[in-house]
Amino acid sequence: MERKQTEASGRGNRQRIVMCAETIRTRIAPSPTGAPHIGTAYIALFNYAFAKRHGGEFILRIEDTDQVRSTRASENDILEALEWTGLSWDEGPDKGGDHGPYRQSERLDIYRKHVDRLIASGHAYPCFCSSERLSELRNEQMAAKQEFIGYDGTCSMLDPQEARRRIEAGEPHVVRLKSPADGDCVINDRLREEIRIPWQTIDDQILMKADGFPTYHLANVVDDHLMAITHVIRGEEWISSAPKHVLLYQAFGWTPPMFVHLPLLRNPDKSKLSKRKNPTSILYYRQAGFLPEAVLNYLGLMAYSPADGQEEFTLEQMVATFDLDRVSLGGPIFDILKLRNFNGRYLRALTPEQLYERIKSWMLNDDTWQRVMPIAQPRLEQMTDLVPMSAFLFADRLAYDPELLVGTTGDGDRTARLLQTAQWEFEGLGDWTVERIKDVFMRMSETEDLKLKKLMPLFFIALAGSKVALPVFDSMVVLGKDMCLRRLQYALDSLATVDVTLKGKALKRFTKEYEGRYGRRN
RNA sequence: GCGCCCAUCGUCUAGUGGUCAGGACACCAGGUUUUCAUCCUGGUAACCGGAGUUCGAUUCUCCGUGGGCGCGCCA
């Protein structure tokens, strides 16, 4: 990386080498395994603000090392969502840059080389234990209420010659990082006192999976180093695995970056923000009519307050004064009510012309109407029918009558289960098209042994607010996946008012049942 | 179970040994507005508990308690 730069002095032509302060580089590294999470925007915002405050660079890296769950559809959504927020990255998979590629699945040779280095230096070793053995081991440890839960180090005792022979024989294996037996790992966190974690509690982490892909820990450390990341600003959920990262930097002989662990966004019940209890997809917020600048402003208020006490600020203003020392550590509850208030302020601050432009670029435009016309036309008697008929397409939460929802199946629990099943089924759907949506309902109809005609009324009400409405598959395309998932959740939540709930043990039981009939969910 | 992180109004937070503990959201009351919303004014509401340090602790230390996160061939 460029740490020196030449500079012509004003007078004369003498060139002198000046040592510049290292360029600050931060990154957001989402994993493309689902909807773009609002927490990603929150962490990205702080990374962006910090880097830009110091004239640095902000990088986007895609962490797609989970071959099973990563999808290109999710990656596209994440890029689209992040772009919508207005947090622009200097380097990334779509932009390129001097430190690419920025998609981890395209860097496999780099990880391979690095893991070989660790094996050669004795910091890592191949492990032949099967997944079955490991989960058995874990269960035993749990059952015995052992202090230590984790890998027992069996394969670290293997003779290297023997190990090589087994690898050459094609035996499947992973590579593990050797963890020290005693002492403490010291982590320097920019926001906290020294964090000390006993090495005894850290097991030999897998670095390379049997499929030849790296795990997060390896890929993340190698990339952060190679991409010259100076500050790793991430959620505090990572504190407990930080020792593994520190150990890797040591093993490679690299200087670790500065760690900055931000508090996690929470649900109203204080648990980590989850889609079950809150909308978490950035694209939902876009569809629900929030302005990105309001979302960013609100997110900026989580765990941070500017020195001047001003609550309303643009991204530029936040960047201009951002100060890590003003980050607070208590886990903030994500309060949609306050976000809504902020959004209202931003909406009202626009001129009517600006507002109209924003609303057009949101969804009140030709593109939407052209999709609506073909499905609305056959149902029109007067032109005045159009807007009332399509209103649900431009709404967020609909007014649900739980009795009506339950009435479609005649059974509360059954209703909840169907809604939940649909939610799970649609969550995993990649292409959001009429055909694929229809496939899902057909499959449900078959699995539930319920004619489509009997199955659909529930979903007409949940998604469109009425048993009689525009065709629901087409409507779902207009609404977008995240809004549809949200509506299903709203409907599910509304059932609670008639004492129908699907959570805790019942939910667990139903999850098993669902997986038995529909296959494992992601 | 073990490890770690955290702790000010219901919520987001300011505060860094001496403040009537401030602001914002929400809520309540009043005012402006043909209604509503906006806007303005006012109000209710917090330092988790116990020791210690100190002349004096919301603020520093320790111990509790509470909450959170982690303990995957997920990130």
Side-chain angles (χ1 to χ4, degrees), chain A residues 228-479:
Chain A
I229 301 302
T230 56
H231 297 255
V232 169
I233 305 175
R234 59 186 358 174
E236 68 183 330
E237 53 190 337
W238 293 109
I239 291 179
S240 38
S241 45
K244 294 165 182 175
H245 307 156
V246 170
L247 188 57
L248 276 169
Y249 282 103
Q250 284 171 0
F252 283 121
W254 299 335
T255 309
M258 180 60 80
F259 290 107
V260 184
H261 291 102
L262 260 25
L264 257 26
L265 257 28
R266 313 279 190 93
N267 295 311
D269 68 357
K270 297 256 184 203
S271 57
K272 178 164 98 169
L273 195 67
S274 64
K275 61 186 167 195
R276 210 50 73 215
K277 298 165 183 166
N278 252 306
T280 55
S281 170
I282 299 170
L283 295 176
Y284 159 78
Y285 289 92
R286 181 178 69 175
Q287 185 71 18
F290 288 91
L291 296 171
E293 54 268 45
V295 172
L296 243 32
N297 190 160
Y298 179 68
L299 251 18
L301 250 24
M302 301 276 92
Y304 179 69
S305 64
D308 62 7
Q310 191 62 42
E311 281 203 314
E312 270 177 62
F313 47 80
T314 62
L315 180 58
E316 291 67 35
Q317 287 166 331
M318 181 172 174
V319 165
T321 61
F322 185 71
D323 179 3
L324 272 181
D325 288 321
R326 298 194 59 82
V327 171
S328 57
L329 297 177
I333 291 172
F334 187 85
D335 179 9
I336 299 183
L337 229 55
K338 187 161 181 174
L339 168 61
R340 202 178 286 155
N341 171 279
F342 266 73
N343 199 57
R345 296 191 211 185
Y346 276 85
L347 243 21
R348 291 191 296 268
L350 300 171
T351 64
E353 291 75 21
Q354 289 171 327
L355 176 61
Y356 186 49
E357 287 308 315
R358 299 300 294 264
I359 284 186
K360 279 197 285 190
S361 64
W362 167 58
M363 70 173 303
L364 208 54
N365 53 38
D366 282 354
D367 178 61
T368 306
W369 286 120
Q370 270 161 22
R371 286 195 274 177
V372 174
M373 281 314 143
I375 52 176
Q377 195 173 20
R379 296 166 173 77
L380 292 182
E381 287 175 331
Q382 286 177 264
M383 287 189 261
T384 49
D385 296 334
L386 176 68
V387 168
M389 184 182 288
S390 346
F392 74 95
L393 295 172
F394 303 91
D396 178 11
R397 190 184 195 281
L398 305 173
Y400 293 104
D401 177 352
E403 304 286 354
L404 219 56
L405 282 164
V406 173
T408 58
T409 66
D411 179 82
D413 291 326
R414 175 115 169 107
T415 306
R417 287 172 196 192
L418 286 171
L419 288 169
Q420 183 61 77
T421 300
Q423 206 179 46
W424 284 336
E425 286 292 286
F426 284 120
E427 242 167 50
L429 195 58
D431 315 323
W432 197 251
T433 60
V434 172
E435 294 71 36
R436 300 298 308 278
I437 290 168
K438 190 178 173 190
D439 288 346
V440 169
F441 280 119
M442 297 285 269
R443 178 159 180 241
M444 275 186 72
S445 156
E446 211 167 291
T447 313
E448 302 293 335
D449 195 24
L450 204 59
K451 284 233 182 339
L452 204 58
K453 206 180 170 73
K454 292 267 183 211
L455 178 70
M456 292 315 294
L458 168 61
F459 293 99
F460 266 85
I461 295 176
L463 294 160
S466 165
K467 256 189 242 192
V468 210
L470 296 178
V472 83
F473 305 154
D474 302 84
S475 301
M476 287 174 74
V477 175
V478 176
L479 285 168

Side-chain angles (χ1 to χ4, degrees), chain A residues 43-82:
Chain A
I43 301 287
L45 171 62
F46 281 76
N47 275 281
Y48 178 93
F50 179 71
K52 295 302 165 182
R53 169 76 180 93
H54 299 286
E57 286 147 4
F58 171 61
I59 282 85
L60 171 66
R61 181 173 73 221
I62 295 294
E63 309 226 324
D64 56 349
T65 54
D66 183 339
Q67 284 198 84
V68 179
R69 296 198 304 153
S70 295
T71 65
R72 205 38 91 88
S74 166
E75 181 187 313
N76 292 339
D77 283 353
I78 288 169
L79 261 63
E80 189 182 329
L82 248 23

